[in-house]
Amino acid sequence: MEPEASAGVPQARVAALVAAARRALPNQPVPCFAHLRVRVRDRERDYLLGPQTALRPEVNVLQWREAPLAAAFFAACEGEPYEIEIGGRVAEGIVLERSLIELDRGELRRLVPVDGAWVPLRTPDQRVRPASPIEVPLDDVQLRAVRAPAGGAQLFLGEAGVGKTTVALHRVAFLAAAAHRGWRALVVVPTEGLKRLSELLLERLGVPVGSITVARYDRWAAALARKSFRGLPRRESEDARAGVLRVKRHRTLASVLDAAARRAPDARADRDDLLHLFGDRIAMERVAAAAGGEVAPRDVRQVLEHTRIQFSETTEQEYAHVIDASRLETLDGRAIDAGTPMGDAATIDVEDYAVLFEIDRLRALTRGKREPALPIRYNAVVLDEAQEFAPLELALIGRAVARNGTLIVAGDAAQQIDPTACFSGWSTAMEDLRAARHVETRLDTSYRCPPEVIALARHVLDPANPFTLEPTARVRALCCANECHLAAWIAEGMRRIDERDPNASVAVIARTPAVAQRWAQVLGRSVSVQLALDGDFRFGRGMHVTCVAEVKGLEFDYVIVPDASPSIYPDEPEARRAMYVALTRAVHAATIGAVGRFSAIFRSWEAPNACARSQSGASIRP
């Protein structure tokens, strides 16, 4: 039976509840994080939010993330009603009190009200929707690049927000406007979100639908491979480990492809070539030896085991001849092997497509013939975020450019976040694209980020770049003692944006998909959020929770990074680049959140007046 809330001064009342929580949860160093008092009909009740649920006669502690009733803390402010579905019924009430709990050696130190006043909101003038990224005026440097004669290769470089995608799309649209009948163009991007945005921007440029194909690389390569090679599995792997991708995308894989091509010089490349290549321990060890420590022995073991599984039969195939097919169907409709170590049986990897094309090319040259043409080539090819593509993938994209065609490449080495891409500089990348001779254009005009956000992003990349945060800056930092407190502050900030700036776009950008899913679950209790992990963005207004890999090329009015802790962002170049990408999505303001302490990538950042701390509101320094 739930205890009714007692009357009295909140501080004394909550102190008694905290003491009861310590007795109820003796093994928890911090038994509670927040206090919630509600009225249900004519009764008032107190709850504490803590690390686990403990229901006792003298206190009710609710697991702050999972307990249904704990959602009332995030769903309503003091004086507001709440409705929560619990076990098929709706629990209703009014929130009377809600505050974060600050403890000192297990004793209540104080109650801290939480609100969203820390958010630097846009002014009414700033809320006027600016031109879309494609509709901004181009400067003289950009115009010259856009209007250059057709043919050859162009490389557009520059830091985040300078319009690389904009200029690349203007360039291909300019070529399309002057093109002959039958002219074809391809735009290749790494993510679904950037694909959708590119399609939208080309439409705003007046490019007829269908005249320019915009494709995610993995889908384009898959379609091309299925036109070229017989017998490829329809299903792609879902469980390939990082070591497998590292080997298959590494530059030194090329050192063993000549031998793979000579294995059957008179045959077209097929799936058996993948078995003989990636199932060959000696060949994989040669790749590792040539990689200078970038490919570890465990990566070799992972490739060999993954190949064994891929070339095994699925359970359905193995028993098809002895068991009725209906008995091999699962209740959830998934494959029997799904979620098991054999889940990738009878699959192919996205990385295998470029490998097959290269083996087929080398095999033709071994026979003294010209390299085979791809099933379709284009008069113009645009490659955006080129730093994320592996050498063999770049080679395949380069082969897609027709004779006398135009290659347009855009990228930024500072935004290279995929550790398996094996990016080693722009000269090498352009050689991989068969465009060693090219025109390089550096873009300098920033269209996106406020100066203080750019300054912080540059500081993240290189601490030698100075950065001082002023109290009025559009950068905020939230460092909290626990994730419950951080979630409360972020949720209140997002609620305030929703109420005061409803036409804004907001992105909570986590480092990984798993962390993004966790934050979407928590923040969804307070505001309506969209979990965008496969390009499912609402361009324009709306609140999204996503991860760094999904936001390349995109922008949002408000950006919140909720996981800027040392464990998520260690002081390593890859982590610095990932943080740079996240911060530079911000058009108006960026907020950095952490539990315990900030990542060391902010160690020389002085922010005396602009940081909020969940427990006391005091300023902190990373």
Side-chain angles (χ1 to χ4, degrees), residues 62 89 102 107 138 167 188 194 289 296-297 316 319 350 428 460 465 500 531:
L62 306 176
R89 64 182 181 85
E102 180 179 348
E107 303 291 336
L138 303 182
V167 175
V188 181
L194 189 52
E316 289 87 347
Y319 292 99
V350 168
T428 304
V460 164
N465 291 320
R500 305 283 187 89
L531 178 62

Side-chain angles (χ1 to χ4, degrees), residues 88 141 165 206 216 276 281 322 326 328 337 397 440 448 455 462 487 511 523 584:
V141 172
T165 298
R216 220 170 66 192
H276 286 280
R281 178 181 296 275
V322 294
S326 63
L328 293 171
D337 297 325
I397 295 167
E440 179 181 308
R448 180 187 301 151
D462 182 0
R511 178 83 189 270
L523 297 175
T584 54

Side-chain angles (χ1 to χ4, degrees), residues 232-269:
L232 299 184
R234 303 304 304 178
R235 204 162 61 90
E236 292 174 348
S237 67
E238 298 177 357
D239 301 322
R241 301 174 70 177
V244 175
L245 307 186
R246 189 174 297 109
V247 170
K248 292 193 174 188
R249 304 187 80 201
H250 203 276
R251 180 171 300 280
T252 58
L253 181 65
S255 64
V256 297
L257 293 187
D258 278 324
R262 290 194 299 270
R263 185 187 67 83
D266 296 326
R268 287 295 307 271

Side-chain angles (χ1 to χ4, degrees), residues 4-66:
E4 290 198 33
S6 60
V9 179
Q11 184 89 3
R13 174 163 35 86
V14 177
L17 293 171
V18 170
R22 284 203 316 273
R23 294 189 295 271
L25 297 171
N27 295 323
Q28 290 289 351
V30 181
C32 52
F33 307 134
H35 166 248
L36 173 69
R37 184 180 178 94
V38 300
R39 178 185 296 129
V40 180
R41 293 184 290 276
D42 58 346
R43 298 175 62 193
E44 295 184 5
R45 298 169 180 165
D46 282 306
Y47 298 93
L48 300 182
L49 276 60
Q52 68 183 75
T53 294
L55 306 180
R56 302 289 187 271
E58 66 275 15
V59 66
N60 281 335
V61 183
L62 306 176
Q63 207 286 333
W64 74 274
R65 187 191 298 278
E66 302 291 344

Side-chain angles (χ1 to χ4, degrees), residues 200-211:
L200 178 63
L201 297 181
L202 285 170
E203 182 181 337
R204 290 180 178 175
L205 281 174
V207 175
V209 176
S211 62

Side-chain angles (χ1 to χ4, degrees), residues 270-284:
D270 61 21
R271 187 168 178 249
D272 282 348
D273 288 305
L274 300 175
L275 173 61
H276 286 280
L277 174 63
F278 295 117
D280 185 340
R281 178 181 296 275
I282 294 176
M284 294 301 97

Side-chain angles (χ1 to χ4, degrees), residues 273-569:
D273 288 305
L274 300 175
L275 173 61
H276 286 280
L277 174 63
F278 295 117
D280 185 340
R281 178 181 296 275
I282 294 176
M284 294 301 97
E285 288 175 346
R286 286 174 180 164
V287 171
E294 294 179 356
V295 175
R298 69 175 178 275
D299 299 334
V300 171
R301 293 193 295 270
Q302 288 177 12
V303 170
L304 296 173
E305 175 61 12
H306 182 68
T307 303
R308 182 190 68 80
I309 292 172
Q310 284 193 300
F311 283 84
S312 299
E313 290 184 325
T314 65
T315 298
E316 289 87 347
Q317 292 169 335
E318 185 177 358
Y319 292 99
H321 66 293
V322 294
I323 299 178
D324 182 72
S326 63
R327 297 178 63 186
L328 293 171
E329 295 177 358
T330 60
L331 292 176
D332 60 6
R334 301 174 69 201
I336 294 174
D337 297 325
T340 75
M342 295 300 295
D344 278 342
T347 64
I348 191 169
D349 293 330
V350 168
E351 295 73 23
D352 292 335
Y353 301 133
V355 175
L356 283 174
F357 277 107
E358 183 63 9
I359 291 175
D360 199 55
R361 185 186 76 85
L362 293 172
R363 193 162 282 167
L365 296 179
T366 298
R367 297 195 302 268
K369 296 185 177 181
R370 299 169 59 183
E371 71 174 33
L374 298 184
I376 182 171
R377 295 201 294 174
Y378 300 87
N379 302 97
V381 172
V382 176
L383 177 60
D384 202 359
E385 303 292 347
Q387 72 278 356
E388 301 298 352
F389 293 88
L392 289 181
E393 295 162 359
L394 293 173
L396 179 59
I397 295 167
R399 288 176 63 185
V401 182
R403 186 175 183 180
N404 299 321
T406 305
L407 176 63
I408 305 159
V409 182
D412 178 11
Q415 298 184 61
Q416 203 286 308
I417 60 173
D418 188 338
T420 69
C422 201
F423 178 76
S424 53
W426 288 113
S427 294
T428 304
M430 295 305 288
E431 289 176 5
D432 292 335
L433 284 161
R434 302 184 171 198
R437 297 181 61 185
H438 59 273
V439 176
E440 179 181 308
T441 302
R442 288 204 166 264
L443 308 178
D444 298 315
T445 303
S446 179
Y447 292 97
R448 180 187 301 151
C449 301
E452 54 263 57
V453 173
I454 282 291
L456 175 58
R458 290 170 178 166
H459 174 78
V460 164
L461 279 181
D462 182 0
N465 291 320
F467 177 73
T468 301
L469 186 60
E470 300 298 330
T472 57
R474 295 192 219 166
V475 176
R476 291 292 186 270
L478 300 167
C479 192
C480 304
N482 55 71
E483 198 169 49
C484 177
H485 286 190
L486 182 59
W489 283 107
I490 291 177
E492 284 306 304
M494 294 178 70
R495 189 203 304 273
R496 189 166 191 250
I497 295 171
D498 193 40
E499 293 171 351
R500 305 283 187 89
D501 194 0
N503 292 322
S505 58
V506 181
V508 177
I509 305 176
R511 178 83 189 270
T512 66
V515 176
Q517 289 172 334
R518 192 168 77 240
W519 276 99
Q521 179 186 12
V522 172
L523 297 175
R525 292 177 155 192
S526 180
V527 292
S528 176
V529 297
Q530 173 90 13
L531 178 62
L533 292 181
D534 192 21
D536 191 15
F537 293 95
R538 297 189 295 262
F539 298 113
R541 59 175 293 179
M543 296 193 172
H544 304 86
V545 181
T546 184
C547 65
V548 172
E550 292 286 333
V551 297
K552 303 293 288 295
L554 309 186
E555 61 183 42
F556 307 88
D557 296 316
Y558 300 86
V559 163
I560 300 171
V561 180
D563 53 353
S565 300
S567 61
I568 304 295
Y569 283 91

